[in-house]
Amino acid sequence: MVATFTVSYGVRHVRRHVFDIEETTLAEMVGGREVFVVADERVWQEYGTNIERYARGHLRLSGSARVSGQEHDKTLERVGDLCAAAFDHGLSRDGVFVGVGGGVTLDMAGFAAAIYRRGVRYLRIPTTLVGLIDVSVGIKQGINFHGKKSALGAFYPPMGSINDATFVSTLSRRHLSCGFAEILKVALVCDAALFELLEAAGRELYDSHLSSPVAAAEEVLFRAEAAMMRELEGNLFENDRRRLVDFGHTFSPLIEVASEYTIPHGEAVALDMLVSTALGAERGLCGWGVFGRLVECCRSFDLPMRYPLLLPTLLERALDDAKAHRGGDMNLVVPDGIGSGTFAQDVTGAELRAALRVVDAAAGR
Amino acid sequence: MVATFTVSYGVRHVRRHVFDIEETTLAEMVGGREVFVVADERVWQEYGTNIERYARGHLRLSGSARVSGQEHDKTLERVGDLCAAAFDHGLSRDGVFVGVGGGVTLDMAGFAAAIYRRGVRYLRIPTTLVGLIDVSVGIKQGINFHGKKSALGAFYPPMGSINDATFVSTLSRRHLSCGFAEILKVALVCDAALFELLEAAGRELYDSHLSSPVAAAEEVLFRAEAAMMRELEGNLFENDRRRLVDFGHTFSPLIEVASEYTIPHGEAVALDMLVSTALGAERGLCGWGVFGRLVECCRSFDLPMRYPLLLPTLLERALDDAKAHRGGDMNLVVPDGIGSGTFAQDVTGAELRAALRVVDAAAGR
């Protein structure tokens, strides 16, 4: 049996608020189909009235559900609850799950869409910085399970994403900081100009919730999204297990689990990048200057450089897990300069301990 | 973002028992990858020793899990248990879930494979007649949820299936009878020659566990599988909601749920076919002779023609559900002759009651 098919989706950018009654992008994309909205509590509190008014004006709303948006609720049970709610509202097989929220919410809504009636359409509206530049580009939906981060899930392409940067203005500083961690990730291993832009304007962008300098804000969002797209395109289903965008994502899952998801994803990614870059410098894959510049960036975005659970045994376990997930190779991503990266194999416990000492020293300065 | 990819899988037929140590098809298909076996209790009792010996000789066995193979265990929780067991055994992303069992077991193993680490390879070894001629051809994995049959799941293509007809010899008569119901399904709406073969040799095939007449047994298996393949190919992901192979699958899900899964799938399918065909004859879409011939076939395979829960209200609800699942149309499949079918819309309660009276009268003869 042979069948060929095409995955096609894109990111639409809106200038007005996506739920502004004059803004018809969402209505056009769902095209008269029934809609089931999954939004996180924070978003609902802030935009629920707008969403309801928009739905009355533009959508065939089947129903809606709210989720905490917290990592510890990203479970099979809670995704089941979303599906049960959609059945209770009678959402048909031609309906659309619309996820509105941060990465956690979008993962849950996307996985629910992937399994509801064996898969229905899914549309994403990210409301965090991570969502805008990272989640909105990919096709991975995942939930935490059995003590593992994103252990279950699906590669399930959405209809598309609607990116509305106005959401950034109401983000907490901590959410914003986590978004910058993901931007740093793609900048350091894929886009030198973006990294330099973050060095030059990052702090001001952070302090102003990306409202100033205006040109830099637009460029950062554009470059981060474009770099992610370049990296994912051609390897959407991860047949190639060497992925530069895994930078910062080798140790971080276990840090998150060990913290019982009290440390936000972006902060764990920052810690991971610091350790990985120190390791790279130890190996001579990149200069110590690269590590130093990353440290300064983390500092400017208030990203943590220390964490009590950042221990050699945990990191060793993370490398074992990575091997099981990356075709038997560690494929630890390390920068080999600003804007490019490579893959390290066979990292030893001694190397990990040395890297941790360096990170610790840098944090202590 | 655009990506094109190809789904390709097939059914391999083995002449020796698939777990015979001389039979290397399974070993060749998994190609040295780690294997996690999901088998149902009945199969394990009968073939567990063979499977273990085969694994020692030919496979890198990561671990195995057993399931009841009962419809009421086809739940999200039990699929979670399978994934947890695979994690406990350290099955990597390059591992293979091998499902060994009937339709329920294959659905569970397939759905676990679809979501484990966002999807790993899946290989099917059907051990029932339904499994051989129906499950082994498609790509649908599903579980029961929230009072609905196969409410959650995935379209998830396997690496392939290994069909070993020797399993049929140890099936219970009831399992066998259910298998013939699915063969009748595809015969009546897709393959007149197959239907005539069932009329001529069906009872002997049933009584002999498909061992005699030998030529007829081979032809029945071949034709049933081929007809399923023709119907599925080109519509694997069900973009076209008019599917002849949905014959017998409109009322049956609700009959199964109402019975709390005490009525086996094949028997529910038989009841559904009888009602649908009576409806077709009432509408003049097929002659009453077609209904009469179906009744005789059901009788020869000991398929039930009465069931206390077969009530008009239940059937009406089933038609509503079908509409939600088939793009707003009922698409009730009815034969319009022997070997071909058509789709009925807007079936009324009065028609359903009339059809039920006819089925009841036929059962009473």
Side-chain angles (χ1 to χ4, degrees):
Chain A
M1 198 81 101
V2 178
T4 299
F5 54 100
T6 300
V7 169
S8 162
Y9 66 97
V11 179
R12 299 265 297 264
H13 296 84
V14 290
R15 289 275 164 184
R16 273 175 305 211
H17 183 55
V18 60
F19 295 115
D20 182 317
I21 202 78
E22 310 279 300
E23 172 53 62
T24 55
T25 303
L26 172 57
E28 284 159 22
M29 284 180 82
V30 301
R33 296 182 187 90
E34 269 177 303
V35 159
F36 187 79
V37 173
V38 177
D40 69 33
E41 291 291 1
R42 188 190 69 80
V43 168
W44 195 263
Q45 271 172 29
E46 211 149 349
Y47 302 99
T49 316
N50 297 40
I51 296 174
E52 284 178 335
R53 188 175 50 222
Y54 191 91
R56 277 195 302 277
H58 289 307
L59 305 175
R60 272 175 65 207
L61 188 68
S62 154
S64 67
R66 266 149 273 177
V67 295
S68 73
Q70 303 295 311
E71 199 68 51
H72 61 79
D73 278 330
K74 208 171 79 175
T75 62
L76 201 52
E77 291 71 30
R78 293 290 86 72
V79 168
D81 292 345
L82 292 179
C83 292
F87 275 116
D88 288 340
H89 285 95
L91 186 74
S92 85
R93 194 173 175 186
D94 295 294
V96 183
F97 268 77
V98 174
V100 190
V104 170
T105 304
L106 297 181
D107 256 332
M108 292 175 70
F111 190 47
I115 65 174
Y116 181 75
R117 295 179 181 272
R118 296 199 183 90
V120 294
R121 286 179 182 81
Y122 173 45
L123 196 149
R124 280 186 302 225
I125 302 177
T127 62
T128 61
L129 190 49
V130 177
L132 287 169
I133 58 100
D134 192 289
V135 183
S136 75
V137 181
I139 64 169
K140 285 160 81 166
Q141 326 294 339
I143 56 163
N144 306 322
F145 178 76
H146 205 53
K148 282 189 194 290
K149 167 103 179 163
S150 300
L152 304 182
F155 285 83
Y156 193 73
M159 304 172 70
S161 300
I162 302 178
N163 277 10
D164 171 359
T166 68
F167 283 113
V168 173
S169 65
T170 58
L171 283 180
S172 70
R173 271 182 87 78
R174 202 166 184 191
H175 259 119
L176 209 54
S177 165
C178 285
F180 278 107
E182 293 280 4
I183 299 177
L184 269 176
K185 170 195 83 174
V186 75
L188 185 45
V189 292
C190 304
D191 184 342
L194 178 57
F195 192 85
E196 282 156 18
L197 190 56
L198 290 173
E199 290 184 310
R203 182 71 202 195
E204 187 180 343
L205 290 169
Y206 174 48
D207 284 338
S208 69
H209 281 244
L210 264 92
S211 69
S212 116
V214 174
E218 287 188 359
E219 193 174 348
V220 162
L221 290 177
F222 172 79
R223 294 196 81 101
E225 189 189 309
M228 272 298 285
M229 244 181 218
R230 277 195 309 275
E231 290 302 313
L232 296 191
E233 199 151 33
N235 192 25
L236 263 188
F237 293 87
E238 301 187 9
N239 297 313
D240 183 356
R241 300 290 165 75
R242 293 158 57 95
R243 295 172 5 108
L244 286 175
V245 290
D246 279 339
F247 181 46
H249 288 70
T250 301
F251 305 119
S252 58
L254 269 79
I255 299 171
E256 289 181 72
V257 170
S259 81
E260 296 179 343
Y261 300 112
T262 56
I263 185 170
H265 178 63
E267 294 184 8
V269 167
L271 291 167
D272 180 321
M273 291 192 293
L274 288 164
V275 174
S276 300
T277 305
L279 253 159
E282 292 273 1
R283 280 200 173 188
L285 296 168
C286 64
W288 281 107
V290 172
F291 177 74
R293 289 167 72 178
L294 174 62
V295 166
E296 287 314 308
C297 284
C298 287
R299 221 185 282 282
S300 71
F301 298 127
D302 297 334
L303 288 163
M305 292 194 276
R306 269 196 181 125
Y307 191 68
L309 294 168
L310 197 62
L311 299 166
T313 46
L314 185 85
L315 303 189
E316 286 187 71
R317 237 179 336 112
L319 290 174
D320 288 341
D321 277 13
K323 280 160 81 172
H325 208 66
R326 295 176 186 162
D329 294 322
M330 262 182 203
N331 290 340
L332 179 71
V333 185
V334 298
D336 59 358
I338 296 289
S340 70
T342 187
F343 301 90
Q345 315 294 349
D346 306 315
V347 172
T348 65
E351 285 181 286
L352 286 172
R353 283 187 295 275
L356 278 175
R357 275 194 301 272
V358 172
V359 173
D360 203 50
R365 269 188 303 126
Chain B
M1 199 80 102
V2 178
T4 298
F5 56 101
T6 300
V7 168
S8 163
Y9 66 96
V11 180
R12 300 263 299 262
H13 296 84
V14 291
R15 289 274 164 184
R16 274 175 306 210
H17 183 55
V18 61
F19 295 116
D20 182 318
I21 201 77
E22 310 280 301
E23 172 54 61
T24 55
T25 303
L26 172 57
E28 284 160 23
M29 284 180 81
V30 300
R33 296 182 186 90
E34 270 178 301
V35 159
F36 187 80
V37 173
V38 177
D40 68 35
E41 291 290 1
R42 188 189 69 80
V43 167
W44 195 262
Q45 271 173 29
E46 212 149 347
Y47 302 98
T49 316
N50 297 41
I51 296 174
E52 283 178 337
R53 189 176 49 223
Y54 190 91
R56 277 194 302 277
H58 288 307
L59 305 174
R60 273 175 63 208
L61 188 68
S62 155
S64 67
R66 267 150 271 176
V67 295
S68 73
Q70 303 296 311
E71 200 69 49
H72 60 80
D73 278 331
K74 208 171 80 176
T75 62
L76 200 53
E77 291 70 30
R78 293 290 84 74
V79 167
D81 292 345
L82 292 179
C83 292
F87 275 116
D88 288 341
H89 285 96
L91 186 75
S92 85
R93 194 173 174 186
D94 295 295
V96 183
F97 268 76
V98 174
V100 190
V104 171
T105 304
L106 297 181
D107 255 332
M108 292 174 70
F111 190 46
I115 66 174
Y116 182 75
R117 295 179 181 275
R118 297 198 182 90
V120 294
R121 287 179 182 81
Y122 173 45
L123 196 150
R124 280 187 301 224
I125 303 178
T127 63
T128 61
L129 189 50
V130 177
L132 288 168
I133 59 99
D134 191 289
V135 183
S136 74
V137 181
I139 65 170
K140 285 160 82 165
Q141 327 294 339
I143 57 163
N144 306 322
F145 178 77
H146 206 54
K148 283 190 194 288
K149 167 103 178 161
S150 300
L152 305 182
F155 286 82
Y156 193 73
M159 304 172 70
S161 300
I162 303 179
N163 277 12
D164 172 359
T166 68
F167 283 113
V168 174
S169 65
T170 59
L171 283 180
S172 71
R173 271 181 87 79
R174 201 166 184 191
H175 259 120
L176 209 55
S177 165
C178 286
F180 277 108
E182 292 281 2
I183 299 177
L184 269 176
K185 169 195 83 174
V186 75
L188 184 45
V189 291
C190 303
D191 184 343
L194 178 57
F195 192 84
E196 282 156 18
L197 189 57
L198 290 173
E199 290 183 310
R203 182 71 201 195
E204 186 180 343
L205 290 169
Y206 174 47
D207 284 338
S208 70
H209 281 246
L210 265 92
S211 70
S212 115
V214 175
E218 287 188 0
E219 194 174 345
V220 162
L221 290 178
F222 172 79
R223 293 196 82 101
E225 191 189 309
M228 272 298 284
M229 245 181 219
R230 277 196 309 276
E231 290 303 312
L232 296 191
E233 199 151 33
N235 193 24
L236 263 186
F237 293 87
E238 302 187 6
N239 297 314
D240 183 356
R241 301 291 163 75
R242 293 157 58 95
R243 295 169 7 107
L244 287 175
V245 291
D246 279 340
F247 181 44
H249 288 71
T250 300
F251 305 120
S252 57
L254 269 80
I255 299 171
E256 289 181 72
V257 170
S259 81
E260 295 178 345
Y261 300 113
T262 56
I263 185 170
H265 179 63
E267 295 184 8
V269 168
L271 292 167
D272 181 321
M273 291 193 292
L274 288 164
V275 174
S276 300
T277 305
L279 254 160
E282 292 272 2
R283 279 200 175 189
L285 296 168
C286 63
W288 280 107
V290 172
F291 177 74
R293 288 168 73 178
L294 175 62
V295 166
E296 286 315 308
C297 284
C298 287
R299 220 186 283 282
S300 71
F301 297 127
D302 297 335
L303 287 163
M305 292 195 277
R306 268 197 183 127
Y307 190 70
L309 293 168
L310 198 61
L311 300 166
T313 46
L314 184 84
L315 303 190
E316 286 187 72
R317 230 170 353 104
L319 290 174
D320 287 341
D321 277 12
K323 280 160 82 171
H325 209 65
R326 295 176 186 162
D329 295 322
M330 263 183 203
N331 290 339
L332 178 72
V333 186
V334 298
D336 59 359
I338 296 290
S340 72
T342 186
F343 300 90
Q345 314 294 349
D346 306 316
V347 172
T348 65
E351 285 181 286
L352 287 172
R353 283 187 295 276
L356 278 175
R357 275 194 301 272
V358 172
V359 173
D360 203 50
R365 270 189 301 123

